[in-house]
Amino acid sequence: MANSKTVTKAYVLSDGQVISQSYLDQYAIKESNKIPSDAFGESYRKNGLVEPLYNIEALAQLLEINTYHYRAVKTKARDIAGLGWDLIPSEDVDEPNQEQKEIANEFLKNCHPTYTLSELLDMMMVDFEATGNGYLEVIRDDNGQIVGLEHIPSHTMRVHKSMNKYAHIRGNQHVWFKRFGFEKDVHKDTGELYPLGSLSKEERANEILHLKNYTSRSDYYGLPDIIPALPSILGDKELQEYNISFFDNHAIPAYAVTVTGAELDEETVKVIERFFKEDVKKKQHSTLVLAAKSSEDNLSYNQEPIKFEFHKLNTEIKDASFRTYRHDNRDEVLSAHGVPPYRAGIVVEGSLGGSTAKESTEIYKQSIIKPKQEILESRLNRFILQDGLGVTDWKIKFRELDARDEDKEIERIEKLFNMGVYSPNMIREERGEERIDDPNLDRHFINGKPLDTSSEETRAIIESLKSLHRELIEIMTKNDQHDADVKEEKQRRKDGS
């Protein structure tokens, strides 16, 4: 029969306490990968719903366990749809209809009794970035006119295999919706199809705009950008919770103890603790003499003598490794999102920022934010404004993230103005302000002197200013003389009385 040896492991903490490996294992995270149950359960089979590639409830919960993921999702959502919006004329329209603009403005500014359009879209994009799917409910009145919008959390929605309707579960409530523009009525309680317009407002399902982050693996659902970095989030959670739960209650392990051929009994543990707590402090070169009871295996098979091995742990390296691992996880999460550390509120050690931060933000704006803004704009313009409200001359345009350094930008414009490149009105237009109807604001200047005027015009301007100056002095002199006359008259009346 092959030899077998009893091997027991333990750790000596920096305060001299001895703990077993089994005790340490209690602090390992046992439920870090636990997936919450899917509320839809049997509905997939019974109601013809399609199960998503990943548990959407679990994806939504990731926001609660990782700071960097949460910050990246919130930052992207705000930069996409939370900076405000404007109505601008459509490109192919020379004279946009002002009445259409009023209709669009009235609806978009009053689309929800509590939230603004920017708030609704921000919620939708938080879901989109966290789970890969965002949902917006479109509400119509009895006449079929769009009268409101509502956000529906993505983890409560599932797509039907027909892709024409959706099931929404919240608690005990089960409600059906239909795809925006689907040319049939859907009963909101049963999901059954009826001819368009045959159901009452109370019976028919409202419509849904579904925005999904494309994946080739599913025609029904999108996937969030964070998917490739899921191991980093889960690993970071285990590391963080292990550190907190163990080191908050114990000192740092200083030695690893391995006992071969015997159990680490209570008496031996006391000897080791006394040695590290008392003897080592009194005399650094003290000798530790240990004895242990042989295990049954050792007695039965006449194995080698009992061995005690102590391995000093380099706690500084381990602590640094923890920090490095967390930084690696953080970088992996931000890289998956495409968010620069500066946008997530992280100052990278050794980085000077400046132009690097500006360039990173500009890349982020052009490659991550702008494409998603264009997708969302396209959906709203096509379905809400054009198909829903009949507004064709105007379109929604989201305000863009400003990656400029304000002080440097002002310095740049000032130089261009003093060089005669910019007129005051050109500066106003670049800054997004309206022109002022004044010929002088369309002039160009070099170091404060008009560039596009003749010498005679320049002299005329100067003379005009001088004349104005003289008139002001004359007016001030007259006012002073008038005040003096009034004062003198009052004094004469006082003396005469």
Side-chain angles (χ1 to χ4, degrees), residues 232-282:
S232 295
I233 288 183
L234 297 176
D236 195 62
K237 181 175 184 290
E238 288 191 16
L239 176 66
Q240 187 178 20
E241 291 192 6
Y242 183 94
N243 273 334
I244 291 172
S245 59
F246 179 76
F247 293 111
D248 275 359
N249 296 289
H250 301 283
I252 299 173
Y255 289 87
V257 183
T258 303
V259 183
T260 305
E263 298 288 348
L264 190 61
D265 57 31
E266 186 176 346
E267 185 61 34
T268 306
V269 168
K270 290 180 179 179
V271 172
I272 295 173
E273 287 185 348
R274 185 167 59 248
F275 176 78
F276 282 97
K277 286 182 178 180
E278 300 175 9
D279 297 350
V280 171
K281 291 181 180 180
K282 295 177 181 177

Short mmCIF file of all heavy atoms in Angstrom, two decimals, residues 232-282:
data_model
loop_
_atom_site.label_atom_id
_atom_site.label_comp_id
_atom_site.label_asym_id
_atom_site.label_seq_id
_atom_site.Cartn_x
_atom_site.Cartn_y
_atom_site.Cartn_z
N SER A 232 -12.38 40.07 -13.79
CA SER A 232 -11.70 41.10 -13.00
C SER A 232 -12.61 41.63 -11.91
O SER A 232 -12.17 41.89 -10.78
CB SER A 232 -11.24 42.24 -13.92
OG SER A 232 -10.27 41.80 -14.83
N ILE A 233 -13.88 41.81 -12.22
CA ILE A 233 -14.83 42.30 -11.21
C ILE A 233 -15.00 41.28 -10.10
O ILE A 233 -14.95 41.60 -8.91
CB ILE A 233 -16.19 42.62 -11.86
CG1 ILE A 233 -16.09 43.89 -12.71
CG2 ILE A 233 -17.27 42.79 -10.80
CD1 ILE A 233 -17.40 44.32 -13.31
N LEU A 234 -15.18 40.02 -10.47
CA LEU A 234 -15.39 38.98 -9.47
C LEU A 234 -14.12 38.74 -8.65
O LEU A 234 -14.17 38.54 -7.43
CB LEU A 234 -15.84 37.69 -10.15
CG LEU A 234 -17.19 37.78 -10.87
CD1 LEU A 234 -17.50 36.49 -11.60
CD2 LEU A 234 -18.31 38.14 -9.92
N GLY A 235 -12.96 38.76 -9.32
CA GLY A 235 -11.70 38.58 -8.60
C GLY A 235 -11.44 39.72 -7.64
O GLY A 235 -10.98 39.51 -6.51
N ASP A 236 -11.77 40.93 -8.06
CA ASP A 236 -11.59 42.09 -7.20
C ASP A 236 -12.50 42.02 -5.99
O ASP A 236 -12.11 42.38 -4.88
CB ASP A 236 -11.87 43.37 -8.00
CG ASP A 236 -11.36 44.61 -7.30
OD1 ASP A 236 -10.14 44.71 -7.08
OD2 ASP A 236 -12.19 45.47 -6.96
N LYS A 237 -13.71 41.52 -6.20
CA LYS A 237 -14.66 41.38 -5.09
C LYS A 237 -14.15 40.37 -4.06
O LYS A 237 -14.17 40.61 -2.86
CB LYS A 237 -16.03 40.93 -5.61
CG LYS A 237 -17.10 40.78 -4.51
CD LYS A 237 -18.44 40.45 -5.14
CE LYS A 237 -19.52 40.40 -4.07
NZ LYS A 237 -19.39 39.25 -3.17
N GLU A 238 -13.65 39.22 -4.53
CA GLU A 238 -13.12 38.22 -3.62
C GLU A 238 -11.93 38.76 -2.84
O GLU A 238 -11.83 38.60 -1.62
CB GLU A 238 -12.69 36.97 -4.40
CG GLU A 238 -13.85 36.17 -4.94
CD GLU A 238 -13.40 34.82 -5.47
OE1 GLU A 238 -12.28 34.41 -5.14
OE2 GLU A 238 -14.17 34.17 -6.17
N LEU A 239 -11.01 39.40 -3.55
CA LEU A 239 -9.82 39.94 -2.90
C LEU A 239 -10.17 40.98 -1.86
O LEU A 239 -9.70 40.95 -0.73
CB LEU A 239 -8.90 40.56 -3.96
CG LEU A 239 -7.64 41.25 -3.44
CD1 LEU A 239 -6.71 40.23 -2.82
CD2 LEU A 239 -6.94 41.97 -4.58
N GLN A 240 -11.05 41.90 -2.24
CA GLN A 240 -11.43 42.99 -1.34
C GLN A 240 -12.14 42.45 -0.09
O GLN A 240 -11.81 42.84 1.03
CB GLN A 240 -12.33 43.97 -2.08
CG GLN A 240 -12.64 45.22 -1.29
CD GLN A 240 -13.50 46.18 -2.10
OE1 GLN A 240 -14.16 45.79 -3.05
NE2 GLN A 240 -13.51 47.44 -1.72
N GLU A 241 -13.08 41.55 -0.27
CA GLU A 241 -13.83 41.04 0.87
C GLU A 241 -12.96 40.14 1.75
O GLU A 241 -13.11 40.12 2.96
CB GLU A 241 -15.07 40.29 0.38
CG GLU A 241 -16.10 41.21 -0.25
CD GLU A 241 -17.43 40.51 -0.46
OE1 GLU A 241 -17.57 39.35 -0.01
OE2 GLU A 241 -18.31 41.12 -1.07
N TYR A 242 -12.06 39.38 1.13
CA TYR A 242 -11.15 38.55 1.93
C TYR A 242 -10.27 39.44 2.79
O TYR A 242 -10.11 39.21 3.98
CB TYR A 242 -10.29 37.70 0.99
CG TYR A 242 -9.36 36.76 1.71
CD1 TYR A 242 -9.76 35.45 1.97
CD2 TYR A 242 -8.11 37.17 2.14
CE1 TYR A 242 -8.91 34.57 2.63
CE2 TYR A 242 -7.27 36.31 2.80
CZ TYR A 242 -7.67 35.01 3.05
OH TYR A 242 -6.83 34.15 3.70
N ASN A 243 -9.73 40.50 2.20
CA ASN A 243 -8.88 41.41 2.97
C ASN A 243 -9.63 42.03 4.13
O ASN A 243 -9.17 42.04 5.26
CB ASN A 243 -8.36 42.53 2.06
CG ASN A 243 -7.08 42.14 1.36
OD1 ASN A 243 -6.34 41.32 1.85
ND2 ASN A 243 -6.85 42.72 0.21
N ILE A 244 -10.82 42.53 3.83
CA ILE A 244 -11.58 43.25 4.85
C ILE A 244 -11.98 42.32 5.99
O ILE A 244 -11.74 42.60 7.16
CB ILE A 244 -12.83 43.90 4.23
CG1 ILE A 244 -12.41 45.05 3.30
CG2 ILE A 244 -13.77 44.41 5.31
CD1 ILE A 244 -13.56 45.63 2.51
N SER A 245 -12.58 41.17 5.64
CA SER A 245 -13.12 40.29 6.67
C SER A 245 -12.03 39.63 7.51
O SER A 245 -12.23 39.38 8.69
CB SER A 245 -13.99 39.21 6.02
OG SER A 245 -13.22 38.46 5.10
N PHE A 246 -10.87 39.34 6.93
CA PHE A 246 -9.82 38.69 7.70
C PHE A 246 -8.96 39.69 8.45
O PHE A 246 -8.79 39.62 9.66
CB PHE A 246 -8.94 37.84 6.78
CG PHE A 246 -7.82 37.16 7.52
CD1 PHE A 246 -8.08 36.05 8.32
CD2 PHE A 246 -6.53 37.64 7.46
CE1 PHE A 246 -7.06 35.42 9.01
CE2 PHE A 246 -5.50 37.03 8.16
CZ PHE A 246 -5.77 35.91 8.93
N PHE A 247 -8.40 40.67 7.76
CA PHE A 247 -7.42 41.55 8.38
C PHE A 247 -8.05 42.56 9.33
O PHE A 247 -7.35 43.14 10.16
CB PHE A 247 -6.61 42.27 7.30
CG PHE A 247 -5.74 41.32 6.52
CD1 PHE A 247 -6.00 41.03 5.21
CD2 PHE A 247 -4.65 40.71 7.12
CE1 PHE A 247 -5.21 40.16 4.49
CE2 PHE A 247 -3.84 39.83 6.42
CZ PHE A 247 -4.12 39.55 5.10
N ASP A 248 -9.37 42.76 9.24
CA ASP A 248 -10.03 43.61 10.23
C ASP A 248 -10.06 42.93 11.59
O ASP A 248 -10.17 43.58 12.63
CB ASP A 248 -11.47 43.92 9.80
CG ASP A 248 -11.51 45.12 8.86
OD1 ASP A 248 -10.44 45.68 8.59
OD2 ASP A 248 -12.61 45.47 8.40
N ASN A 249 -9.97 41.60 11.61
CA ASN A 249 -10.09 40.85 12.86
C ASN A 249 -8.79 40.20 13.31
O ASN A 249 -8.70 39.68 14.42
CB ASN A 249 -11.16 39.76 12.71
CG ASN A 249 -12.52 40.35 12.48
OD1 ASN A 249 -13.12 40.93 13.37
ND2 ASN A 249 -13.02 40.24 11.25
N HIS A 250 -7.78 40.20 12.43
CA HIS A 250 -6.54 39.50 12.75
C HIS A 250 -5.34 40.32 12.30
O HIS A 250 -5.45 41.22 11.48
CB HIS A 250 -6.51 38.13 12.06
CG HIS A 250 -7.64 37.24 12.43
ND1 HIS A 250 -7.70 36.55 13.62
CD2 HIS A 250 -8.79 36.94 11.77
CE1 HIS A 250 -8.81 35.85 13.68
NE2 HIS A 250 -9.50 36.07 12.57
N ALA A 251 -4.17 39.92 12.85
CA ALA A 251 -2.93 40.53 12.40
C ALA A 251 -2.51 39.90 11.07
O ALA A 251 -3.15 38.98 10.58
CB ALA A 251 -1.84 40.32 13.45
N ILE A 252 -1.42 40.39 10.51
CA ILE A 252 -0.94 39.90 9.22
C ILE A 252 -0.15 38.61 9.43
O ILE A 252 0.67 38.52 10.33
CB ILE A 252 -0.05 40.95 8.54
CG1 ILE A 252 -0.86 42.23 8.31
CG2 ILE A 252 0.53 40.44 7.23
CD1 ILE A 252 -0.03 43.38 7.80
N PRO A 253 -0.38 37.55 8.60
CA PRO A 253 0.41 36.32 8.73
C PRO A 253 1.90 36.60 8.52
O PRO A 253 2.29 37.24 7.55
CB PRO A 253 -0.14 35.43 7.61
CG PRO A 253 -1.52 35.95 7.34
CD PRO A 253 -1.43 37.42 7.57
N ALA A 254 2.74 36.10 9.45
CA ALA A 254 4.18 36.32 9.35
C ALA A 254 4.92 35.04 8.98
O ALA A 254 5.97 35.09 8.34
CB ALA A 254 4.72 36.85 10.68
N TYR A 255 4.38 33.86 9.39
CA TYR A 255 5.02 32.58 9.07
C TYR A 255 3.94 31.58 8.65
O TYR A 255 2.82 31.59 9.17
CB TYR A 255 5.74 32.01 10.30
CG TYR A 255 6.99 32.75 10.69
CD1 TYR A 255 6.92 33.85 11.56
CD2 TYR A 255 8.25 32.36 10.21
CE1 TYR A 255 8.06 34.54 11.92
CE2 TYR A 255 9.40 33.05 10.58
CZ TYR A 255 9.30 34.14 11.42
OH TYR A 255 10.43 34.83 11.78
N ALA A 256 4.32 30.72 7.73
CA ALA A 256 3.49 29.56 7.40
C ALA A 256 4.11 28.35 8.07
O ALA A 256 5.33 28.15 8.03
CB ALA A 256 3.43 29.36 5.89
N VAL A 257 3.28 27.54 8.72
CA VAL A 257 3.75 26.37 9.44
C VAL A 257 3.22 25.12 8.75
O VAL A 257 2.02 25.02 8.49
CB VAL A 257 3.26 26.38 10.90
CG1 VAL A 257 3.82 25.18 11.67
CG2 VAL A 257 3.63 27.69 11.57
N THR A 258 4.11 24.18 8.45
CA THR A 258 3.70 22.91 7.86
C THR A 258 4.16 21.78 8.78
O THR A 258 5.35 21.68 9.12
CB THR A 258 4.32 22.71 6.47
OG1 THR A 258 3.96 23.81 5.64
CG2 THR A 258 3.83 21.42 5.84
N VAL A 259 3.21 20.95 9.19
CA VAL A 259 3.52 19.80 10.04
C VAL A 259 3.26 18.54 9.22
O VAL A 259 2.14 18.32 8.76
CB VAL A 259 2.66 19.79 11.31
CG1 VAL A 259 3.06 18.62 12.22
CG2 VAL A 259 2.77 21.11 12.05
N THR A 260 4.30 17.72 9.05
CA THR A 260 4.18 16.50 8.26
C THR A 260 4.24 15.29 9.18
O THR A 260 5.16 15.16 9.99
CB THR A 260 5.31 16.41 7.22
OG1 THR A 260 5.31 17.58 6.43
CG2 THR A 260 5.13 15.19 6.32
N GLY A 261 3.24 14.44 9.04
CA GLY A 261 3.23 13.20 9.81
C GLY A 261 2.51 13.30 11.12
O GLY A 261 2.56 12.36 11.93
N ALA A 262 1.86 14.43 11.39
CA ALA A 262 1.15 14.57 12.67
C ALA A 262 0.10 15.66 12.56
O ALA A 262 0.14 16.51 11.67
CB ALA A 262 2.13 14.89 13.78
N GLU A 263 -0.85 15.60 13.49
CA GLU A 263 -1.83 16.67 13.60
C GLU A 263 -1.23 17.79 14.44
O GLU A 263 -0.40 17.54 15.32
CB GLU A 263 -3.10 16.14 14.28
CG GLU A 263 -3.80 15.03 13.52
CD GLU A 263 -4.50 15.54 12.28
OE1 GLU A 263 -4.62 16.78 12.14
OE2 GLU A 263 -4.89 14.70 11.45
N LEU A 264 -1.66 19.00 14.19
CA LEU A 264 -1.20 20.14 14.99
C LEU A 264 -2.15 20.24 16.18
O LEU A 264 -3.20 20.87 16.12
CB LEU A 264 -1.23 21.42 14.15
CG LEU A 264 -0.55 22.65 14.76
CD1 LEU A 264 0.94 22.38 14.99
CD2 LEU A 264 -0.72 23.85 13.85
N ASP A 265 -1.74 19.59 17.29
CA ASP A 265 -2.65 19.54 18.43
C ASP A 265 -2.62 20.84 19.24
O ASP A 265 -1.78 21.71 19.02
CB ASP A 265 -2.34 18.33 19.33
CG ASP A 265 -0.90 18.35 19.83
OD1 ASP A 265 -0.34 19.45 20.01
OD2 ASP A 265 -0.33 17.27 20.05
N GLU A 266 -3.54 20.93 20.16
CA GLU A 266 -3.71 22.16 20.95
C GLU A 266 -2.47 22.50 21.77
O GLU A 266 -2.08 23.65 21.89
CB GLU A 266 -4.92 22.00 21.87
CG GLU A 266 -5.27 23.27 22.63
CD GLU A 266 -6.54 23.10 23.44
OE1 GLU A 266 -7.28 22.12 23.22
OE2 GLU A 266 -6.77 23.97 24.31
N GLU A 267 -1.81 21.48 22.32
CA GLU A 267 -0.63 21.73 23.14
C GLU A 267 0.52 22.29 22.30
O GLU A 267 1.23 23.21 22.72
CB GLU A 267 -0.19 20.41 23.82
CG GLU A 267 0.95 20.57 24.80
CD GLU A 267 0.60 21.51 25.95
OE1 GLU A 267 -0.59 21.53 26.38
OE2 GLU A 267 1.49 22.24 26.42
N THR A 268 0.69 21.77 21.10
CA THR A 268 1.75 22.26 20.21
C THR A 268 1.48 23.70 19.80
O THR A 268 2.40 24.52 19.71
CB THR A 268 1.86 21.37 18.96
OG1 THR A 268 2.03 20.01 19.37
CG2 THR A 268 3.03 21.78 18.10
N VAL A 269 0.21 24.01 19.53
CA VAL A 269 -0.16 25.39 19.17
C VAL A 269 0.21 26.36 20.28
O VAL A 269 0.75 27.45 20.03
CB VAL A 269 -1.68 25.47 18.86
CG1 VAL A 269 -2.13 26.93 18.78
CG2 VAL A 269 -2.00 24.75 17.55
N LYS A 270 -0.02 25.94 21.53
CA LYS A 270 0.30 26.82 22.67
C LYS A 270 1.81 27.05 22.76
O LYS A 270 2.26 28.16 23.08
CB LYS A 270 -0.21 26.21 23.96
CG LYS A 270 -1.73 26.22 24.09
CD LYS A 270 -2.16 25.61 25.41
CE LYS A 270 -3.69 25.64 25.54
NZ LYS A 270 -4.14 25.02 26.82
N VAL A 271 2.61 26.01 22.49
CA VAL A 271 4.07 26.15 22.53
C VAL A 271 4.54 27.13 21.47
O VAL A 271 5.38 28.00 21.72
CB VAL A 271 4.75 24.77 22.32
CG1 VAL A 271 6.26 24.94 22.18
CG2 VAL A 271 4.42 23.84 23.49
N ILE A 272 3.99 27.02 20.23
CA ILE A 272 4.38 27.93 19.15
C ILE A 272 4.00 29.36 19.49
O ILE A 272 4.79 30.30 19.29
CB ILE A 272 3.71 27.49 17.83
CG1 ILE A 272 4.24 26.12 17.40
CG2 ILE A 272 3.98 28.51 16.72
CD1 ILE A 272 3.51 25.53 16.19
N GLU A 273 2.80 29.56 20.01
CA GLU A 273 2.34 30.91 20.35
C GLU A 273 3.22 31.52 21.43
O GLU A 273 3.58 32.70 21.35
CB GLU A 273 0.89 30.86 20.81
CG GLU A 273 -0.09 30.62 19.67
CD GLU A 273 -1.54 30.69 20.14
OE1 GLU A 273 -1.76 30.70 21.38
OE2 GLU A 273 -2.44 30.73 19.28
N ARG A 274 3.56 30.72 22.46
CA ARG A 274 4.40 31.24 23.54
C ARG A 274 5.77 31.62 23.02
O ARG A 274 6.36 32.62 23.42
CB ARG A 274 4.51 30.18 24.66
CG ARG A 274 5.29 30.69 25.89
CD ARG A 274 5.12 29.77 27.08
NE ARG A 274 5.57 28.43 26.78
CZ ARG A 274 4.75 27.37 26.68
NH1 ARG A 274 3.45 27.52 26.87
NH2 ARG A 274 5.25 26.17 26.40
N PHE A 275 6.29 30.81 22.10
CA PHE A 275 7.60 31.09 21.53
C PHE A 275 7.61 32.43 20.80
O PHE A 275 8.50 33.26 21.00
CB PHE A 275 7.99 29.96 20.57
CG PHE A 275 9.30 30.20 19.85
CD1 PHE A 275 10.52 30.00 20.51
CD2 PHE A 275 9.32 30.64 18.54
CE1 PHE A 275 11.73 30.23 19.85
CE2 PHE A 275 10.52 30.86 17.88
CZ PHE A 275 11.72 30.66 18.53
N PHE A 276 6.60 32.68 19.92
CA PHE A 276 6.59 33.91 19.13
C PHE A 276 6.13 35.13 19.93
O PHE A 276 6.49 36.26 19.61
CB PHE A 276 5.71 33.73 17.89
CG PHE A 276 6.37 32.96 16.79
CD1 PHE A 276 6.14 31.60 16.63
CD2 PHE A 276 7.26 33.57 15.92
CE1 PHE A 276 6.76 30.87 15.63
CE2 PHE A 276 7.88 32.86 14.91
CZ PHE A 276 7.64 31.50 14.76
N LYS A 277 5.37 34.91 20.98
CA LYS A 277 4.89 36.04 21.77
C LYS A 277 5.88 36.47 22.85
O LYS A 277 5.99 37.65 23.18
CB LYS A 277 3.55 35.68 22.44
CG LYS A 277 2.37 35.65 21.48
CD LYS A 277 1.09 35.32 22.25
CE LYS A 277 -0.11 35.34 21.31
NZ LYS A 277 -1.37 35.01 22.02
N GLU A 278 6.64 35.48 23.38
CA GLU A 278 7.48 35.78 24.54
C GLU A 278 8.96 35.53 24.28
O GLU A 278 9.78 36.44 24.38
CB GLU A 278 7.02 34.95 25.74
CG GLU A 278 5.58 35.22 26.14
CD GLU A 278 5.11 34.31 27.25
OE1 GLU A 278 5.96 33.59 27.82
OE2 GLU A 278 3.91 34.30 27.56
N ASP A 279 9.31 34.30 23.88
CA ASP A 279 10.72 33.93 23.77
C ASP A 279 11.46 34.74 22.72
O ASP A 279 12.60 35.19 22.95
CB ASP A 279 10.84 32.44 23.45
CG ASP A 279 10.27 31.58 24.57
OD1 ASP A 279 9.99 32.15 25.64
OD2 ASP A 279 10.11 30.37 24.37
N VAL A 280 10.86 34.92 21.54
CA VAL A 280 11.53 35.66 20.46
C VAL A 280 11.77 37.10 20.85
O VAL A 280 12.80 37.70 20.51
CB VAL A 280 10.70 35.57 19.15
CG1 VAL A 280 11.27 36.52 18.10
CG2 VAL A 280 10.71 34.15 18.63
N LYS A 281 10.85 37.69 21.59
CA LYS A 281 11.01 39.09 22.02
C LYS A 281 12.15 39.23 23.03
O LYS A 281 12.86 40.24 23.05
CB LYS A 281 9.70 39.60 22.61
CG LYS A 281 8.59 39.75 21.58
CD LYS A 281 7.32 40.28 22.21
CE LYS A 281 6.22 40.43 21.18
NZ LYS A 281 4.96 40.95 21.79
N LYS A 282 12.32 38.19 23.89
CA LYS A 282 13.38 38.26 24.90
C LYS A 282 14.74 37.97 24.30
O LYS A 282 15.74 38.58 24.64
CB LYS A 282 13.09 37.25 26.03
CG LYS A 282 11.84 37.58 26.83
CD LYS A 282 11.58 36.49 27.86
CE LYS A 282 10.31 36.78 28.65
NZ LYS A 282 10.00 35.71 29.62
#
